[in-house]
Amino acid sequence: MTRPHLPRPSLDNFRRKLAAVDALPQLCLLGLVAGLLTGSLMVGFRLLLSAGALGFMPNDNPENFEGLAPWVRALLPLLAVLVIGIVLGRQPLAQRKLGIGHVIERLTYHQGKMPLRGWLNQVVVGVVSVLGGLSAGREGPAIHLGAGASSWIGERLKLPNNSLRVLVACGTAAGISASFNTPIAGVIFAMEVVMMEYTLTGFMPVILASTAGAVVSQIFYGSAPAFAVPSLLLHSLLDLPWVIITALIIGLLAGGFVHLARQQALAARLPWWMRMALVGVATAGVAWWYPQVQGIGYDSLAQLLDSQLALDVLLALVVGKLVLSALCVACGVPIGIIGPVVVAGAAAGALMGMLGGLILPEQASDIALYALLGMAAMMGAVLQAPLAALMALLELTHSPTIILPGMLAVVVAGLTCRQLCRCQGFFISTLTAQGLHPLQQPLMQALSRVAVPAVMERSVVSVARRISRERARALLDSKPVWLVIIRSTPEKPMVALPAADLVRVLMDEHWSEHEELDLLEIPAQRLDLAPIHLQATLSEAYERLLPTNIDALYVEHTTAPMIRKISGIITRDAIESYYRYTP
């Protein structure tokens, strides 16, 4: 009994499978590897933060700014902006872009390829901004490092660019998952905020990556939720109107935060050193009196949920963290904003819970409930990511009983921020303020999911312009679809000729006396060609064809240094046939 012939596993076959839109097994394998790598990096980053706190932070806790003397905690932000200014000040503007917004920009304009220099900058700036007492979170560095590491896997293996996009989403999800022990929120965040699309092909690898990242994190830090929250219930449905009012106010605060962070053009009028100084002095001034605004603020959030913070501290958290974080973004200091936004939202919710208790002491729910609702409402409104906010609320607290009021709060706050304040999501708004357009059209989004090798015609033969009839017959024996005519000089574009037209010429009696054929003179259809790389997506091919008079593209790849091989041809009709419905 003969065994069925199985294709030999090879990297080339793996790349070819990935070029198609339905390469789920291959993408899932990549997602698993990306999740393990990202989870390991996140553990390393958190250990780096802990190591940096040794010696100068009380109890070696990187969040314990309250235990420092006032002059020390005021000096730290000044030192932090000095280090960040030195590290980034002499680098080109493109290399100063870090964090989640940078990941979205690279995904939109560069197919998810992440430069190594920016990746290294993110490590330094992420550690310095958190330990230096700026109002900054660790999720921005987590996502940038995860996306960069996952993209690096694809670039090293020279995988098609459509798979790089999925790898970036895998790194994003694993970064959130490993950093906060929130695997479901990591998946939703990657699809809702970074990829901005939901597809089956994207979901499965991203879920695997998020799971792997969480497993690696739990090996080192355990599986306990980020915050210890008692079981909370809405005391009465009559409390829902106050939940709506709370969400409305938080939506307005979120809109103010986004608008302030967008003032990058206004801040750019100041010299770089003056912008750094402004951030440092403002943070130092507030931190002298209220150190709770420094760092991520999760220690303050834990105290807030236990009702251990005074009224003035809650006000400082709401106003101080929002203003200082927005000021950092506007002045060009690349920080993570999700942590500070979550803490400020929880403080705003707690304040509204206190006020509700004074107005209706019999009906008001627990202050901790309002704090959690404020946390989710602020995150959902700022990011315009309601599902990610709800999943974060569930996983950070392990308290499913608050999902119902949480859904109401997230929707009201999101609508308020979007409709009354005219704000899109934070990252879309800040990128738009820079003149970028991160939202892809549906057609380009669909074409980005497939790489050129999945659609190109592979039956191609390269020929010289003039060939003998005998040579022509020998070429046609391999049954090519296209002949690519190599020109004498690189300045002249290559030309594609259908092999069927050459067959007709050979059978035509009028050409039987010609022993040598000029392929540019015989009666045949000819297409002017331009090059495109084998790793490119259909969206890249479409954009390459769109503004030119080129009829088709020849696909090339490097087989050895300085040696390139033509792998196939892709025409406008081939691209159109991919996205057009044919019964």
Side-chain angles (χ1 to χ4, degrees):
M1 179 177 178
T2 59
R3 294 181 179 179
H5 175 71
L6 297 176
R8 291 183 58 186
S10 70
L11 189 55
D12 283 339
N13 287 334
F14 189 70
R15 294 186 187 118
R16 185 176 298 183
K17 293 282 188 182
L18 282 171
V21 73
D22 57 349
L24 268 179
Q26 293 77 16
L27 288 173
C28 286
L29 176 61
L30 288 174
L32 184 62
V33 174
L36 293 172
L37 176 59
T38 300
S40 302
L41 283 173
M42 289 309 99
V43 169
F45 184 73
R46 293 177 67 174
L47 291 175
L48 197 58
L49 287 175
S50 299
L54 293 174
F56 83 94
M57 293 293 284
N59 302 323
D60 299 329
N61 181 1
E63 288 271 24
N64 194 7
F65 293 96
E66 295 88 344
L68 296 171
W71 71 271
V72 176
R73 63 184 182 236
L75 179 62
L76 282 176
L78 299 175
L79 295 176
V81 295
L82 177 62
V83 173
I84 293 172
I86 292 173
V87 171
L88 299 182
R90 295 185 177 181
Q91 297 189 29
L93 179 61
Q95 294 179 359
R96 298 182 200 168
K97 297 179 179 180
L98 308 174
I100 303 172
H102 175 64
V103 173
I104 296 173
E105 178 187 344
R106 299 298 300 187
L107 193 65
T108 304
Y109 292 98
H110 303 278
Q111 303 299 326
K113 296 178 180 178
M114 310 289 290
L116 178 62
R117 174 64 66 86
W119 197 81
L120 297 174
N121 285 340
Q122 180 65 87
V123 175
V124 176
V125 173
V127 171
V128 170
S129 62
V130 174
L131 292 179
L134 300 179
S135 180
R138 66 170 182 251
E139 77 292 325
I143 290 172
H144 188 163
L145 296 177
S150 302
S151 175
W152 174 82
I153 295 173
E155 291 189 66
R156 290 291 295 174
L157 296 178
K158 298 182 178 179
L159 302 182
N161 290 345
N162 64 318
S163 61
L164 290 187
R165 295 176 57 83
V166 178
L167 278 170
V168 167
C170 290
T172 298
I176 291 287
S177 174
S179 188
F180 302 106
N181 196 19
T182 54
I184 302 177
V187 173
I188 301 300
F189 184 93
M191 307 303 287
E192 195 172 28
V193 178
V194 177
M195 291 287 283
M196 302 184 210
E197 62 176 351
Y198 294 100
T199 62
L200 177 64
T201 307
F203 255 123
M204 288 191 178
V206 172
I207 290 172
L208 269 179
S210 188
T211 303
V215 168
V216 173
S217 177
Q218 290 180 15
I219 289 173
F220 288 87
Y221 296 105
S223 59
F227 308 107
V229 180
S231 180
L232 297 170
L233 291 171
L234 199 67
H235 285 183
S236 168
L237 292 179
L238 296 176
D239 211 18
L240 289 180
W242 192 248
V243 170
I244 294 173
I245 294 173
T246 299
L248 180 67
I249 291 174
I250 289 176
L252 294 174
L253 289 171
F257 168 77
V258 174
H259 278 299
L260 182 56
R262 286 191 61 182
Q263 304 307 311
Q264 295 160 324
L266 182 62
R269 299 176 184 176
L270 300 175
W272 170 252
W273 67 268
M274 192 176 293
R275 280 180 275 160
M276 296 296 103
L278 178 61
V279 170
V281 170
T283 306
V286 179
W288 182 280
W289 305 105
Y290 295 102
Q292 292 85 358
V293 302
Q294 295 186 281
I296 306 172
Y298 283 165
D299 57 339
S300 299
L301 179 53
Q303 295 175 22
L304 184 157
L305 293 173
D306 288 336
S307 302
Q308 297 178 10
L309 294 183
L311 180 64
D312 62 325
V313 175
L314 291 176
L315 286 169
L317 284 174
V318 174
V319 179
K321 287 199 80 68
L322 288 180
V323 171
L324 291 176
S325 299
L327 185 63
C328 284
V329 175
C331 290
V333 180
I335 61 164
I337 59 99
I338 297 179
V341 158
V342 164
V343 173
L351 286 171
M352 293 300 295
M354 289 181 181
L355 183 58
L358 292 175
I359 297 173
L360 295 172
E362 299 292 332
Q363 302 293 337
S365 298
D366 195 286
I367 292 174
L369 175 69
Y370 277 93
L372 294 174
L373 296 180
M375 178 178 72
M378 183 69 81
M379 178 181 172
V382 168
L383 302 180
Q384 288 296 300
L387 281 178
L390 285 171
M391 288 300 102
L393 175 65
L394 177 62
E395 291 185 297
L396 287 173
T397 64
H398 284 199
S399 182
T401 55
I402 61 173
I403 289 298
L404 177 61
M407 293 169 69
L408 181 62
V410 166
V411 170
V412 172
L415 282 174
T416 302
C417 183
R418 191 176 189 90
Q419 299 301 320
L420 295 185
C421 301
R422 302 296 179 186
C423 290
Q424 295 178 298
F426 172 83
F427 300 110
I428 294 177
S429 295
T430 51
L431 289 172
T432 304
Q434 299 171 23
L436 304 174
H437 302 281
L439 289 173
Q440 284 188 306
Q441 295 178 351
L443 171 60
M444 300 306 289
Q445 229 173 25
L447 294 180
S448 295
R449 301 183 196 127
V450 184
V452 161
V455 177
M456 72 181 185
E457 176 56 61
R458 298 176 181 274
S459 299
V460 174
V461 174
S462 300
V463 297
R465 174 178 176 174
R466 292 181 173 83
I467 59 173
S468 65
R469 296 178 67 86
E470 183 179 351
R471 171 62 177 160
R473 292 191 182 95
L475 288 175
L476 293 173
D477 285 342
S478 61
K479 298 181 179 179
V481 175
W482 290 97
L483 304 177
V484 177
I485 303 170
I486 308 297
R487 306 302 297 274
S488 56
T489 60
E491 292 78 17
K492 298 178 180 179
M494 291 190 188
V495 176
L497 183 145
D501 288 356
L502 178 59
V503 172
R504 280 194 289 271
V505 169
L506 291 176
M507 296 175 63
D508 192 336
E509 295 181 358
H510 295 291
W511 290 85
S512 59
E513 57 199 35
H514 293 77
E515 287 302 321
E516 185 180 72
L517 300 174
D518 186 340
L519 298 183
L520 294 182
E521 297 296 335
I522 62 173
Q525 176 192 10
R526 277 175 282 270
L527 303 179
D528 288 335
L529 300 177
I532 194 165
H533 199 271
L534 186 66
Q535 294 171 256
T537 63
L538 290 190
S539 64
E540 292 176 272
Y542 185 81
E543 289 175 346
R544 186 83 170 88
L545 288 169
L546 198 59
T548 66
N549 294 322
I550 299 298
D551 303 304
L553 303 171
Y554 67 91
V555 184
E556 62 178 5
H557 69 281
T558 304
T559 57
M562 305 302 291
I563 299 177
R564 294 182 176 181
K565 178 184 177 182
I566 297 177
S567 303
I569 283 180
I570 183 165
T571 63
R572 293 177 189 270
D573 290 340
I575 297 175
E576 290 176 0
S577 66
Y578 167 75
Y579 65 80
R580 281 181 176 171
Y581 171 74
T582 52

